[in-house]
Amino acid sequence: MKPLEQIWPDNLAARYRTAGYWTGETFSHMLRERAARWPDRVAVVGGEERWTYGDLLARAERIAAGLLALGLRPGDRVVVQLPNIPEFFAVIFGLFRARLIPVYALPAHRLTEITHFARKAEAAAYVCAESFGGFDYRGLARELCAALPAIRHVVVVGDAAEFTPLAGLPADAGRLPPDAAPSDVAFLQISGGSTGLSKLIPRTHDDYLYSVRESARICRLDENSVYLAALPVAHNFPMSSPGVLGALWAGSRIVLAPAPGPEVAFPLIAREKVTITGLVPPLALLWMQAAKSRPEDISSLEILQVGGAKFMPEAARRVRAELGCQLQQVFGMAEGLVNYTRLDDPDSLVVETQGRPISPDDEIRIVDEADNPVPEGEPGHLLTRGPYTIRAYHNDDQANLRAFTTDGFYRTGDVVKRTPEGYLVVQGRATDHINRAGEKISAEEIEDHLLAHPDVFDAVVVSIPDPALGERSCAFVIAHAGAEPRPATLKGWMRQRDVAAFKVPDQIVLVPGFETTAVGKISRKQLRARLRETFLAEQETA
Ligand code: OOB
């Protein structure tokens, strides 16, 4: 088993400790401390459940003991795929306490992705819900176990069928191991998958807690704050920016929404007096629209964070008038760096920029194709290094060569410029992925699935601007001679590949061939750019 590690050079690690960024705290310690300070304060509200900090700690410790009693050993990886339910927290804090390493999958992921995460992480167990959104995860678990005998245990929230129910874990507490070391990897987060399949992102207690703590401060979370988790909590944004972990850090209350639409979220805001939440841009637009006609009183909402994809200034400008709250833009990535507009920033910065980094020690380089700095204020590729940005993906030497400079800067793939105030404005990106309502889809990954269809000779997937989603995916497909696959058939094929539904191309266009230049074959990257341009030009004249 490849060791799980995240190594900063000694001099930088020493600097991050001396500066007080890495405090030596672990997530287990944090929860114990909070539960001791506020045993009866409500920590998590979801469905009919209202758990106090004390409840959460007790459940987490029971789960930690139960998982170890099953035979899992500290250091084992556990793929966790749970929706926004209170058990999510009991499970992840249980895993932290047992020194087991969660791998955070999203509820939308299907067998193909889960198998990939489990294989890459060399996982020993899988935790899922019985069902959610009409999907039975126990069926997925069966296929996962058949494909990967290394998965020794499946733990299910709800009716477990032949698997182990979370509520029925062995009760024999035994002795819990000592806490993890703060420099240990606490969990593996999933990358947006800009090239090929998603990569695993190892985050340590020290580095992640720093970003959580500072995020909570920047967003002024305290015991009176109520954070609505509208997006899936396994994603880095609602998890830690400041998200649910920031809320627990600050003694706030988490309210879990099973779905992010206004019809579910607004009644929860009204009932629980939610003060802050985070959304992706398409949802923010939907909420602004809904606020005009929905009956609920959402005036408790003080801060709406928007991130995950570019929020256009025209929309950003309307937030205060239409939702009656303050906007905060968040530009972050699961690999680390998170930028915020600050709560006392002038409107111009809040509306027109994606904020500035959390840390004075977040190093930002904006460079050209040859990694040379561009003139100040010009757009360029964003590279970054700092106290909570990873130095390498887990178990992926090839990706690491591409994604990091030799001096440890992460190549974000984003094209940004910097304002005189030091705020970043996202201009676009250099990598070929589709940012579909904040979900990152790798063009390459979808092309691979399409190419596996017997009628497909070649396929190129591009992003197309979309008024509702920000971007949608469009696949250009060349059929084999004599074959005429229908777009609906190819979409059906994608669904059968057991991938997350958001990866099924929104649009499929059959074309007789792809343009090549006189010089010969052009790169796939150039091809994607040309197909996109031609398609958009044709649409305009149509
Ligand atoms: C967040 O994390 P990921 O890992 O799903 O995606 C990161 C990528 C960034 O590299 C950038 O391309 C895009 O998402 N992005 C934005 C953005 N926020 C993220 N692009 C334009 N404007 C923004 N405000 O998406 C994420 C993680 C933590 C906090 C917030 C978002």
Side-chain angles (χ1 to χ4, degrees):
M1 190 151 90
K2 278 228 177 181
L4 265 177
E5 56 184 14
Q6 192 51 226
I7 304 274
W8 280 263
D10 289 344
N11 62 331
L12 282 180
R15 168 143 136 220
Y16 299 155
R17 287 201 180 90
T18 313
Y21 306 148
W22 295 356
T23 55
E25 194 181 11
T26 64
F27 282 103
S28 290
H29 177 270
M30 173 185 109
L31 182 60
R32 264 199 313 277
E33 201 277 335
R34 271 34 180 190
R37 206 186 315 174
W38 303 302
D40 301 322
R41 183 187 293 280
V42 174
V44 188
V45 177
E48 300 300 303
E49 306 278 332
R50 300 180 86 80
W51 294 358
T52 64
Y53 279 82
D55 293 336
L56 179 56
L57 176 67
R59 286 172 193 264
E61 291 189 340
R62 209 174 315 136
I63 289 171
L67 291 171
L68 294 173
L70 274 187
L72 290 167
R73 287 182 302 272
D76 281 348
R77 273 74 98 165
V78 178
V79 176
V80 176
Q81 186 177 31
L82 292 174
N84 288 3
I85 52 176
E87 286 82 359
F88 178 88
F89 299 96
V91 166
I92 66 163
F93 279 96
L95 292 169
F96 295 148
R97 186 63 195 87
R99 298 177 74 160
L100 297 162
I101 316 280
V103 184
Y104 297 134
L106 296 171
H109 288 135
R110 294 294 176 259
L111 181 65
T112 303
E113 289 101 356
I114 300 296
T115 309
H116 169 68
F117 303 151
R119 189 173 280 139
K120 260 290 189 225
E122 299 171 276
Y126 170 60
V127 181
C128 63
E130 161 195 341
S131 73
F132 177 71
F135 183 76
D136 188 337
Y137 291 88
R138 295 165 304 184
L140 191 162
R142 279 175 205 121
E143 294 186 66
L144 178 69
C145 292
L148 288 185
I151 300 289
R152 302 198 304 275
H153 299 284
V154 173
V155 177
V156 181
V157 179
D159 175 0
E162 72 269 37
F163 303 118
T164 308
L166 183 73
L169 281 175
D172 167 29
R175 281 172 68 88
L176 286 171
D179 261 358
S183 56
D184 284 351
V185 169
F187 57 82
L188 293 166
Q189 185 64 272
I190 303 299
S191 81
S194 52
T195 344
L197 298 173
S198 287
K199 283 147 325 244
L200 300 181
I201 299 173
R203 302 289 302 258
T204 65
H205 293 268
D206 258 340
D207 91 75
Y208 208 63
L209 260 168
Y210 169 51
S211 74
V212 164
R213 203 171 59 234
E214 277 315 303
S215 297
R217 284 200 186 120
I218 288 168
C219 299
R220 300 188 192 145
L221 290 189
D222 62 24
E223 294 107 288
N224 299 314
S225 309
V226 182
Y227 177 85
L228 180 78
L231 299 171
V233 286
H235 187 273
N236 200 61
F237 177 21
M239 171 88 79
S240 65
S241 305
V244 290
L245 293 180
L248 294 178
W249 186 83
S252 318
R253 176 178 303 176
I254 298 166
V255 176
L256 297 168
E263 65 294 345
V264 175
F266 283 20
L268 283 173
I269 297 175
R271 192 186 84 196
E272 300 291 335
K273 302 277 178 285
V274 167
T275 59
I276 174 170
T277 190
L279 296 177
V280 291
L283 281 170
L285 296 178
L286 207 62
W287 281 35
M288 288 200 275
Q289 184 59 33
K292 298 191 175 101
S293 56
R294 287 207 66 96
E296 294 87 5
D297 173 10
I298 58 164
S299 60
S300 61
L301 194 62
E302 292 165 11
I303 302 169
L304 175 69
Q305 306 181 288
V306 179
K310 173 96 174 199
F311 197 35
M312 291 303 177
E314 310 83 78
R317 213 164 274 129
R318 293 172 14 221
V319 168
R320 196 190 294 274
E322 297 185 11
L323 290 171
C325 64
Q326 187 176 1
L327 169 68
Q328 177 182 54
Q329 295 217 38
V330 189
F331 163 40
M333 50 210 72
E335 284 81 356
L337 181 70
V338 182
N339 302 275
Y340 294 99
T341 57
R342 303 304 203 260
L343 299 184
D344 48 9
D345 277 342
D347 277 357
S348 59
L349 284 178
V350 174
V351 164
E352 280 154 27
T353 81
Q354 279 64 60
R356 67 179 159 88
I358 290 179
S359 176
D361 270 307
D362 279 322
E363 298 174 68
I364 300 289
R365 273 191 203 155
I366 304 177
V367 301
D368 63 17
E369 298 293 332
D371 282 354
N372 295 315
V374 297
E376 196 54 51
E378 294 292 311
H381 301 281
L382 170 64
L383 313 184
T384 185
R385 181 170 84 166
Y388 59 98
T389 294
I390 57 164
R391 308 286 296 204
Y393 290 110
H394 172 62
N395 190 9
D396 210 328
D397 295 342
Q398 268 191 334
N400 288 336
L401 280 177
R402 275 197 311 270
F404 297 88
T405 65
T406 45
D407 53 353
F409 278 74
Y410 168 57
R411 299 181 189 277
T412 67
D414 294 313
V415 174
V416 305
K417 64 180 190 186
R418 189 165 32 196
T419 70
E421 299 88 355
Y423 282 58
L424 301 179
V425 180
V426 180
Q427 305 270 298
R429 61 169 172 268
T431 50
D432 278 335
H433 66 262
I434 297 100
N435 189 336
R436 186 183 189 275
E439 304 275 16
K440 285 51 175 205
I441 305 166
S442 148
E444 228 170 69
E445 182 184 344
I446 307 313
E447 289 164 4
D448 260 357
H449 284 296
L450 290 169
L451 282 167
H453 189 279
D455 289 346
V456 173
F457 172 72
D458 203 354
V460 167
V461 175
V462 307
S463 67
I464 301 287
D466 183 276
L469 299 165
E471 292 177 13
R472 66 175 187 272
S473 59
C474 179
F476 295 93
V477 170
I478 307 177
H480 276 298
E484 269 180 69
R486 290 186 311 129
T489 313
L490 293 176
K491 287 191 188 185
W493 167 259
M494 279 299 298
R495 274 183 218 109
Q496 278 170 31
R497 305 281 291 174
D498 287 324
V499 294
F502 63 78
K503 292 185 184 169
V504 176
D506 294 298
Q507 202 170 358
I508 294 185
V509 180
L510 284 158
V511 291
F514 296 143
E515 183 200 1
T516 45
T517 59
V519 194
K521 235 171 117 63
I522 57 175
S523 76
R524 268 193 114 63
K525 194 173 169 60
Q526 287 168 312
L527 187 56
R528 290 190 191 109
R530 291 217 196 167
L531 280 167
R532 180 188 300 114
E533 276 158 33
T534 319
F535 179 81
L536 291 175
E538 277 169 9
Q539 275 198 325
E540 228 160 67
T541 53

mmCIF file of all heavy atoms in Angstrom, residues 192 235-237 241 307-310 330-335 338 354 412 414 426 433 435 440, ligand 1:
data_model
loop_
_atom_site.group_PDB
_atom_site.id
_atom_site.type_symbol
_atom_site.label_atom_id
_atom_site.label_comp_id
_atom_site.label_asym_id
_atom_site.label_seq_id
_atom_site.Cartn_x
_atom_site.Cartn_y
_atom_site.Cartn_z
ATOM 1 N N GLY A 192 -11.321 17.977 -9.234
ATOM 2 C CA GLY A 192 -12.314 18.273 -10.259
ATOM 3 C C GLY A 192 -12.086 17.477 -11.544
ATOM 4 O O GLY A 192 -12.951 17.450 -12.408
ATOM 5 N N HIS A 235 -18.280 18.033 -0.915
ATOM 6 C CA HIS A 235 -17.491 18.932 -1.769
ATOM 7 C C HIS A 235 -16.735 19.941 -0.911
ATOM 8 O O HIS A 235 -17.208 20.370 0.130
ATOM 9 C CB HIS A 235 -18.411 19.649 -2.762
ATOM 10 C CG HIS A 235 -17.664 20.455 -3.772
ATOM 11 N ND1 HIS A 235 -17.293 21.760 -3.536
ATOM 12 C CD2 HIS A 235 -17.187 20.146 -5.002
ATOM 13 C CE1 HIS A 235 -16.618 22.209 -4.586
ATOM 14 N NE2 HIS A 235 -16.547 21.257 -5.501
ATOM 15 N N ASN A 236 -15.538 20.299 -1.396
ATOM 16 C CA ASN A 236 -14.660 21.154 -0.611
ATOM 17 C C ASN A 236 -15.274 22.507 -0.212
ATOM 18 O O ASN A 236 -14.994 23.017 0.868
ATOM 19 C CB ASN A 236 -13.381 21.407 -1.406
ATOM 20 C CG ASN A 236 -12.246 21.851 -0.528
ATOM 21 O OD1 ASN A 236 -11.842 21.134 0.363
ATOM 22 N ND2 ASN A 236 -11.755 23.047 -0.756
ATOM 23 N N PHE A 237 -16.102 23.075 -1.071
ATOM 24 C CA PHE A 237 -16.659 24.405 -0.797
ATOM 25 C C PHE A 237 -17.589 24.355 0.432
ATOM 26 O O PHE A 237 -17.306 25.011 1.458
ATOM 27 C CB PHE A 237 -17.317 24.929 -2.083
ATOM 28 C CG PHE A 237 -18.012 26.257 -2.004
ATOM 29 C CD1 PHE A 237 -17.735 27.186 -1.011
ATOM 30 C CD2 PHE A 237 -18.961 26.599 -2.973
ATOM 31 C CE1 PHE A 237 -18.393 28.424 -0.969
ATOM 32 C CE2 PHE A 237 -19.614 27.828 -2.943
ATOM 33 C CZ PHE A 237 -19.340 28.729 -1.936
ATOM 34 N N SER A 241 -15.266 25.971 3.409
ATOM 35 C CA SER A 241 -15.018 27.367 3.022
ATOM 36 C C SER A 241 -16.151 28.308 3.422
ATOM 37 O O SER A 241 -16.751 28.920 2.575
ATOM 38 C CB SER A 241 -14.795 27.443 1.506
ATOM 39 O OG SER A 241 -13.779 26.580 1.085
ATOM 40 N N GLY A 307 -19.554 30.480 -5.370
ATOM 41 C CA GLY A 307 -18.259 30.016 -5.859
ATOM 42 C C GLY A 307 -18.395 28.726 -6.639
ATOM 43 O O GLY A 307 -19.496 28.227 -6.858
ATOM 44 N N GLY A 308 -17.262 28.190 -7.041
ATOM 45 C CA GLY A 308 -17.247 26.942 -7.801
ATOM 46 C C GLY A 308 -17.171 27.174 -9.291
ATOM 47 O O GLY A 308 -16.710 26.328 -10.051
ATOM 48 N N ALA A 309 -17.666 28.315 -9.719
ATOM 49 C CA ALA A 309 -17.595 28.723 -11.122
ATOM 50 C C ALA A 309 -17.769 30.233 -11.117
ATOM 51 O O ALA A 309 -18.163 30.820 -10.107
ATOM 52 C CB ALA A 309 -18.694 28.057 -11.939
ATOM 53 N N LYS A 310 -17.466 30.854 -12.252
ATOM 54 C CA LYS A 310 -17.481 32.319 -12.289
ATOM 55 C C LYS A 310 -18.897 32.864 -12.131
ATOM 56 O O LYS A 310 -19.820 32.446 -12.822
ATOM 57 C CB LYS A 310 -16.899 32.782 -13.632
ATOM 58 C CG LYS A 310 -16.992 34.262 -13.880
ATOM 59 C CD LYS A 310 -15.732 34.994 -13.508
ATOM 60 C CE LYS A 310 -15.842 36.458 -13.923
ATOM 61 N NZ LYS A 310 -14.570 37.132 -14.020
ATOM 62 N N VAL A 330 -16.332 33.366 -3.678
ATOM 63 C CA VAL A 330 -15.354 32.383 -3.214
ATOM 64 C C VAL A 330 -14.761 31.675 -4.427
ATOM 65 O O VAL A 330 -15.498 31.087 -5.220
ATOM 66 C CB VAL A 330 -16.009 31.324 -2.301
ATOM 67 C CG1 VAL A 330 -14.937 30.454 -1.648
ATOM 68 C CG2 VAL A 330 -16.877 31.973 -1.244
ATOM 69 N N PHE A 331 -13.471 31.777 -4.566
ATOM 70 C CA PHE A 331 -12.775 31.100 -5.664
ATOM 71 C C PHE A 331 -11.769 30.158 -5.026
ATOM 72 O O PHE A 331 -10.760 30.592 -4.476
ATOM 73 C CB PHE A 331 -12.115 32.160 -6.553
ATOM 74 C CG PHE A 331 -11.036 31.640 -7.479
ATOM 75 C CD1 PHE A 331 -11.164 30.435 -8.146
ATOM 76 C CD2 PHE A 331 -9.883 32.387 -7.689
ATOM 77 C CE1 PHE A 331 -10.170 29.964 -9.003
ATOM 78 C CE2 PHE A 331 -8.880 31.936 -8.543
ATOM 79 C CZ PHE A 331 -9.022 30.720 -9.192
ATOM 80 N N GLY A 332 -12.119 28.874 -5.053
ATOM 81 C CA GLY A 332 -11.263 27.918 -4.369
ATOM 82 C C GLY A 332 -11.071 26.661 -5.177
ATOM 83 O O GLY A 332 -11.587 26.536 -6.288
ATOM 84 N N MET A 333 -10.323 25.742 -4.604
ATOM 85 C CA MET A 333 -10.084 24.455 -5.261
ATOM 86 C C MET A 333 -9.775 23.422 -4.188
ATOM 87 O O MET A 333 -9.182 23.754 -3.148
ATOM 88 C CB MET A 333 -8.936 24.578 -6.257
ATOM 89 C CG MET A 333 -7.691 25.211 -5.692
ATOM 90 S SD MET A 333 -6.743 26.108 -6.942
ATOM 91 C CE MET A 333 -7.755 27.552 -7.262
ATOM 92 N N ALA A 334 -10.185 22.185 -4.446
ATOM 93 C CA ALA A 334 -9.984 21.137 -3.448
ATOM 94 C C ALA A 334 -8.493 20.928 -3.169
ATOM 95 O O ALA A 334 -8.123 20.452 -2.099
ATOM 96 C CB ALA A 334 -10.625 19.834 -3.921
ATOM 97 N N GLU A 335 -7.645 21.302 -4.106
ATOM 98 C CA GLU A 335 -6.194 21.158 -3.921
ATOM 99 C C GLU A 335 -5.659 22.130 -2.875
ATOM 100 O O GLU A 335 -4.528 21.977 -2.417
ATOM 101 C CB GLU A 335 -5.466 21.407 -5.246
ATOM 102 C CG GLU A 335 -5.551 20.264 -6.256
ATOM 103 C CD GLU A 335 -6.856 20.250 -7.052
ATOM 104 O OE1 GLU A 335 -7.730 21.096 -6.758
ATOM 105 O OE2 GLU A 335 -7.005 19.397 -7.941
ATOM 106 N N VAL A 338 -7.826 29.036 -1.419
ATOM 107 C CA VAL A 338 -9.181 29.598 -1.437
ATOM 108 C C VAL A 338 -9.078 31.112 -1.313
ATOM 109 O O VAL A 338 -8.342 31.630 -0.474
ATOM 110 C CB VAL A 338 -10.066 29.038 -0.298
ATOM 111 C CG1 VAL A 338 -11.480 29.618 -0.392
ATOM 112 C CG2 VAL A 338 -10.134 27.514 -0.339
ATOM 113 N N GLN A 354 -12.971 37.801 -7.681
ATOM 114 C CA GLN A 354 -13.202 36.524 -6.994
ATOM 115 C C GLN A 354 -12.421 36.473 -5.683
ATOM 116 O O GLN A 354 -12.137 35.400 -5.153
ATOM 117 C CB GLN A 354 -12.833 35.364 -7.911
ATOM 118 C CG GLN A 354 -13.931 35.011 -8.922
ATOM 119 C CD GLN A 354 -14.215 36.127 -9.915
ATOM 120 O OE1 GLN A 354 -13.336 36.541 -10.651
ATOM 121 N NE2 GLN A 354 -15.440 36.626 -9.917
ATOM 122 N N THR A 412 -2.912 25.575 -11.271
ATOM 123 C CA THR A 412 -4.362 25.488 -11.063
ATOM 124 C C THR A 412 -5.127 25.228 -12.349
ATOM 125 O O THR A 412 -6.264 24.764 -12.305
ATOM 126 C CB THR A 412 -4.905 26.794 -10.448
ATOM 127 O OG1 THR A 412 -4.750 27.845 -11.427
ATOM 128 C CG2 THR A 412 -4.169 27.174 -9.173
ATOM 129 N N ASP A 414 -6.216 27.596 -14.056
ATOM 130 C CA ASP A 414 -7.059 28.786 -14.227
ATOM 131 C C ASP A 414 -6.247 29.941 -14.789
ATOM 132 O O ASP A 414 -5.067 30.101 -14.469
ATOM 133 C CB ASP A 414 -7.648 29.204 -12.876
ATOM 134 C CG ASP A 414 -8.604 28.161 -12.342
ATOM 135 O OD1 ASP A 414 -9.465 27.700 -13.110
ATOM 136 O OD2 ASP A 414 -8.476 27.784 -11.159
ATOM 137 N N VAL A 426 -11.039 35.821 -12.230
ATOM 138 C CA VAL A 426 -10.898 34.628 -13.066
ATOM 139 C C VAL A 426 -11.336 34.980 -14.483
ATOM 140 O O VAL A 426 -12.434 35.485 -14.704
ATOM 141 C CB VAL A 426 -11.736 33.447 -12.522
ATOM 142 C CG1 VAL A 426 -11.571 32.221 -13.411
ATOM 143 C CG2 VAL A 426 -11.327 33.117 -11.093
ATOM 144 N N HIS A 433 -11.700 21.256 -19.429
ATOM 145 C CA HIS A 433 -12.806 20.611 -18.740
ATOM 146 C C HIS A 433 -14.035 21.484 -18.853
ATOM 147 O O HIS A 433 -13.958 22.642 -19.262
ATOM 148 C CB HIS A 433 -12.464 20.267 -17.290
ATOM 149 C CG HIS A 433 -12.248 21.458 -16.415
ATOM 150 N ND1 HIS A 433 -11.007 21.948 -16.112
ATOM 151 C CD2 HIS A 433 -13.124 22.252 -15.769
ATOM 152 C CE1 HIS A 433 -11.127 23.002 -15.323
ATOM 153 N NE2 HIS A 433 -12.392 23.200 -15.100
ATOM 154 N N ASN A 435 -17.032 23.175 -16.819
ATOM 155 C CA ASN A 435 -17.477 23.539 -15.472
ATOM 156 C C ASN A 435 -18.992 23.684 -15.542
ATOM 157 O O ASN A 435 -19.519 24.746 -15.811
ATOM 158 C CB ASN A 435 -16.801 24.828 -15.014
ATOM 159 C CG ASN A 435 -17.069 25.134 -13.550
ATOM 160 O OD1 ASN A 435 -18.074 24.673 -12.985
ATOM 161 N ND2 ASN A 435 -16.202 25.908 -12.927
ATOM 162 N N LYS A 440 -17.045 19.792 -12.181
ATOM 163 C CA LYS A 440 -16.014 19.781 -13.202
ATOM 164 C C LYS A 440 -16.046 18.451 -13.948
ATOM 165 O O LYS A 440 -16.004 17.390 -13.333
ATOM 166 C CB LYS A 440 -14.632 19.985 -12.589
ATOM 167 C CG LYS A 440 -14.305 21.407 -12.137
ATOM 168 C CD LYS A 440 -15.304 22.049 -11.276
ATOM 169 C CE LYS A 440 -14.962 23.395 -10.724
ATOM 170 N NZ LYS A 440 -15.708 23.651 -9.470
HETATM 171 C C1 OOB B 1 -14.200 24.459 -5.963
HETATM 172 O O1 OOB B 1 -13.318 23.412 -5.965
HETATM 173 P P1 OOB B 1 -13.112 22.367 -7.155
HETATM 174 O O2 OOB B 1 -11.912 21.588 -6.774
HETATM 175 O O3 OOB B 1 -14.387 21.643 -7.422
HETATM 176 O O4 OOB B 1 -12.833 23.201 -8.474
HETATM 177 C C2 OOB B 1 -11.787 24.143 -8.547
HETATM 178 C C3 OOB B 1 -11.909 24.945 -9.818
HETATM 179 C C4 OOB B 1 -10.974 26.125 -9.883
HETATM 180 O O5 OOB B 1 -9.681 25.743 -10.288
HETATM 181 C C5 OOB B 1 -11.686 26.995 -10.899
HETATM 182 O O6 OOB B 1 -11.476 26.505 -12.191
HETATM 183 C C6 OOB B 1 -13.147 26.786 -10.569
HETATM 184 O O7 OOB B 1 -13.209 25.534 -9.923
HETATM 185 N N1 OOB B 1 -13.673 27.809 -9.657
HETATM 186 C C7 OOB B 1 -14.023 29.064 -10.043
HETATM 187 C C8 OOB B 1 -14.523 29.692 -8.873
HETATM 188 N N2 OOB B 1 -14.439 28.822 -7.843
HETATM 189 C C9 OOB B 1 -13.926 27.678 -8.354
HETATM 190 N N3 OOB B 1 -13.953 29.692 -11.214
HETATM 191 C C10 OOB B 1 -14.394 30.977 -11.258
HETATM 192 N N4 OOB B 1 -14.876 31.643 -10.187
HETATM 193 C C11 OOB B 1 -14.967 31.052 -8.979
HETATM 194 N N5 OOB B 1 -15.456 31.731 -7.918
HETATM 195 O O8 OOB B 1 -14.926 24.710 -6.907
HETATM 196 C C12 OOB B 1 -14.204 25.269 -4.720
HETATM 197 C C13 OOB B 1 -13.478 24.866 -3.612
HETATM 198 C C14 OOB B 1 -13.498 25.634 -2.456
HETATM 199 C C15 OOB B 1 -14.244 26.793 -2.423
HETATM 200 C C16 OOB B 1 -14.968 27.189 -3.515
HETATM 201 C C17 OOB B 1 -14.952 26.437 -4.679
#
